Amino acid sequence: MQLKSLATAKMTAKAAALFAVGALTLTACGGGSSTPAASEGGVQLINAGKLTVCSDVPYEPFEFQKDGETVGFDVDIAKEVAKDLKAELSIVDSSFEAIETGTALTQCDLSISSISITDTRKAVMDFSTPYLDDDLTLLATTASGIKDIDSAKGKKVGVQQATTGAKYAADKGIDAQQFEDTGLLVQAIQAGTIDAALGNQSVLAYAIKDNSAWKRVENYASGEKLGIAYKKGNTAMGDKVNATLKRLTDDGSLKKFETTWFGETAK
């Protein structure tokens, strides 16, 4: 998702040991045996009657806890996949290290955790068709007068260091303020200490969704796409996941999910 990738940013969020805890929880709840359960809709599931999904919680707005329930953009999609498989959704809290290396798929049927599709990851797992183009977006305060990237020059523009957003700003001649991680950048947005921010739309759009003092000015194609991961060679699972994503696209549900979690897109 970024030059240093979303993987690196999220790997520091929790130790790999957390995956082991999640695995133990899964075993206690549903068995988690090495023998696949009976098929659901033609797909072999690890736990009978359940679609077990690994996700790195929390990472708003994709997956996080609210009122004792795991919610988010990825969760909405996972629920739809489970529904089409006529299975109950079971979410396992995993480290992103386990997810991006494919290790999580030894305990889960799928990994859904805002995973950018890369050649390195495709070497150890298969991916669904992309469900989100995570392009760059330029945010600005309504009082800043910023209308496009050129008018942001000379303003206080924030970026996360070592990311595609930081590179794009530099390429456009913007001397941006560098933040170590997205959380600190979002804090600056909320505090109003910067005039604008440039980064991946997934997190930044959510940060200002209900903040009338900020607006999305422009989007910039970065080629970053998110996908759902499953075990290599499991074409039956891939076909089912892709069928669900096609349904959600065709009936407008996926766009509705995007608007709910990320707000309206920039013009």
Side-chain angles (χ1 to χ4, degrees), residues 5-69:
S5 83
L6 179 61
T8 304
K10 294 179 73 177
M11 279 171 61
T12 58
K14 57 171 66 72
L18 183 57
F19 175 71
V21 175
L24 289 173
T25 301
L26 175 61
T27 303
C29 294
S33 65
S34 58
T35 303
S39 64
E40 296 287 345
V43 174
Q44 296 288 330
L45 299 178
I46 290 175
N47 295 281
K50 293 184 179 181
L51 175 67
T52 309
V53 172
C54 276
S55 192
D56 181 14
V57 185
Y59 189 72
E60 298 185 42
F62 290 94
E63 44 269 337
F64 62 101
Q65 292 290 320
K66 183 178 181 182
D67 299 327
E69 181 184 1

Side-chain angles (χ1 to χ4, degrees), residues 5 38 49 92 98 131 144 164 188-189 196 242:
S5 83
V92 173
Y131 65 88
S144 67
T164 50
I189 291 171
N242 286 334

Side-chain angles (χ1 to χ4, degrees), residues 124-178:
V124 294
M125 66 190 93
D126 286 337
F127 282 95
S128 68
T129 54
Y131 65 88
L132 183 69
D133 293 334
D134 200 10
D135 292 327
L136 298 176
T137 192
L138 175 65
L139 314 180
T141 63
T142 54
S144 67
I146 296 174
K147 300 178 181 179
D148 51 33
I149 194 71
D150 289 332
S151 58
K153 294 178 180 178
K155 302 286 187 176
K156 295 179 180 178
V157 180
V159 297
Q160 182 181 344
Q161 64 186 27
T163 64
T164 50
K167 183 178 185 301
Y168 191 87
D171 289 346
K172 294 298 181 179
I174 294 176
D175 184 17
Q177 182 176 347
Q178 306 269 331

Side-chain angles (χ1 to χ4, degrees), residues 72-155:
F73 180 64
D74 282 342
V75 178
D76 284 348
I77 294 174
K79 287 178 179 178
E80 294 296 323
V81 175
K83 183 174 72 174
D84 286 351
L85 286 171
K86 297 180 174 57
E88 176 188 350
L89 177 62
S90 176
I91 297 177
V92 173
D93 185 6
S94 173
S95 72
F96 197 76
E97 181 179 15
I99 289 172
E100 74 154 352
T101 59
T103 307
L105 293 173
T106 63
Q107 295 291 335
C108 293
D109 301 301
L110 299 172
S111 290
I112 308 179
S113 195
S114 61
I115 312 168
S116 293
I117 302 172
T118 67
D119 288 340
T120 298
R121 292 171 186 168
K122 286 166 67 175
V124 294
M125 66 190 93
D126 286 337
F127 282 95
S128 68
T129 54
Y131 65 88
L132 183 69
D133 293 334
D134 200 10
D135 292 327
L136 298 176
T137 192
L138 175 65
L139 314 180
T141 63
T142 54
S144 67
I146 296 174
K147 300 178 181 179
D148 51 33
I149 194 71
D150 289 332
S151 58
K153 294 178 180 178
K155 302 286 187 176

